[in-house]
Amino acid sequence: MKHFCNYLNRYKFIFIWTFIFTFVCHGLLLLSDYVGIDTSEAIMTKGSNHYFVCLNMGRQSLVFIKWITDTLLINPYVVGVMSLVFLWFSGILWTYLFSYVTNNDSAKAVPFANFIYISCVLFVETFYFKVQCTEFTIDFCLIALSLLWTLYFIDTKKIKYFIGTVLLMLIYMGTYQALTIPYIIGAQILFFLIFFFKKSSYDYKEIWSVILKFIFSFFP
């Protein structure tokens, strides 16, 4: 936590600019009176039809996140602001994740990586579904955090990080089953970064140990 706080403090002015960039990049869609592909029905039915469908197709965590964020009653403007804030913060978490595993960051790479992440077309498409976009951005924060805790588990062997990782997985994989893929891709990237930046030699026993710990975290 202290390391992350130092990271935030070191690049605080850069993150102010990435915050502004997030609103410039997606604010026209998320803060406009456009209600989204699925939002009009959710407003008229107070979300009841949508939530009934989610609960019956294995997306219980989507309803849970809406409950804890007090967005069960859809307000397009509240949803828009929250989506922008969580998208911005998820960018910080993902760039920190990769800087942590490589033990390397710079004032040039951090904003560049954030700008690429924030402007990803995946988010542009997702934000047309305003009912679900806030949960989507929250989930990307949770994916980055679960990968970070997986690294902590590998480095420290402390079971609390393993438990935390599994609990976060239950939330974001129970929101959208497709979010399993970003975790797997992120784990693969981290695996290669670990042995490219941190290790001076390649021990096959150590390689398999890291692989099995990622699988062990994912298996539950």
Side-chain angles (χ1 to χ4, degrees):
M1 187 65 183
K2 183 178 180 181
H3 189 269
F4 179 65
C5 290
N6 290 336
Y7 177 80
L8 290 178
N9 186 60
R10 189 161 65 251
Y11 297 117
K12 57 187 176 183
F13 294 111
I14 288 176
F15 293 138
I16 291 173
W17 282 109
T18 61
F19 183 77
I20 295 172
F21 178 77
T22 304
F23 275 76
V24 171
C25 192
H26 299 286
L28 183 62
L29 174 62
L30 290 175
L31 301 179
S32 69
D33 56 2
Y34 171 74
V35 295
I37 295 173
D38 56 349
T39 317
S40 56
E41 181 188 2
I43 293 174
M44 293 176 63
T45 65
K46 297 184 179 180
S48 57
N49 291 347
H50 176 72
Y51 303 144
F52 178 78
V53 172
C54 289
L55 290 172
N56 284 278
M57 64 186 302
R59 294 183 176 178
Q60 293 87 355
S61 294
L62 186 146
V63 182
F64 172 71
I65 293 176
K66 283 192 173 296
W67 176 68
I68 63 175
T69 56
D70 196 26
T71 55
L72 286 170
L73 293 178
I74 305 300
N75 183 318
Y77 299 105
V78 172
V79 167
V81 171
M82 290 181 65
S83 299
L84 290 168
V85 171
F86 281 111
L87 174 63
W88 165 71
F89 189 65
S90 68
I92 294 175
L93 287 174
W94 278 94
T95 53
Y96 172 75
L97 173 65
F98 292 124
S99 70
Y100 173 83
V101 73
T102 60
N103 197 29
N104 184 32
D105 57 67
S106 70
K108 293 182 179 179
V110 169
F112 184 69
N114 271 270
F115 290 153
I116 291 177
Y117 173 85
I118 291 168
S119 60
C120 176
V121 294
L122 173 66
F123 297 119
V124 176
E125 180 181 359
T126 303
F127 291 159
Y128 278 100
F129 298 86
K130 276 194 175 181
V131 169
Q132 307 170 72
C133 62
T134 300
E135 290 70 43
F136 189 82
T137 54
I138 291 174
D139 285 335
F140 263 80
C141 292
L142 299 183
I143 294 170
L145 188 56
S146 70
L147 285 167
L148 183 63
W149 282 354
T150 302
L151 291 177
Y152 288 166
F153 171 61
I154 292 172
D155 292 339
T156 65
K157 299 180 177 61
K158 292 182 178 179
I159 197 66
K160 65 179 181 179
Y161 294 119
F162 167 74
I163 295 173
T165 296
V166 173
L167 291 176
L168 292 181
M169 285 182 182
L170 290 175
I171 296 175
Y172 64 75
M173 291 183 186
T175 304
Y176 298 105
Q177 293 83 347
L179 291 177
T180 305
I181 298 173
Y183 175 85
I184 294 174
I185 294 174
Q188 291 173 335
I189 294 172
L190 291 179
F191 171 78
F192 287 111
L193 290 177
I194 287 172
F195 288 97
F196 185 83
F197 283 93
K198 283 192 171 183
K199 308 297 182 181
S200 57
S201 61
Y202 299 100
D203 182 350
Y204 286 104
K205 185 180 293 187
E206 186 177 16
I207 290 174
W208 278 108
S209 175
V210 172
I211 292 174
L212 290 174
K213 285 175 181 175
F214 269 111
I215 294 175
F216 182 61
S217 299
F218 178 77
F219 183 73

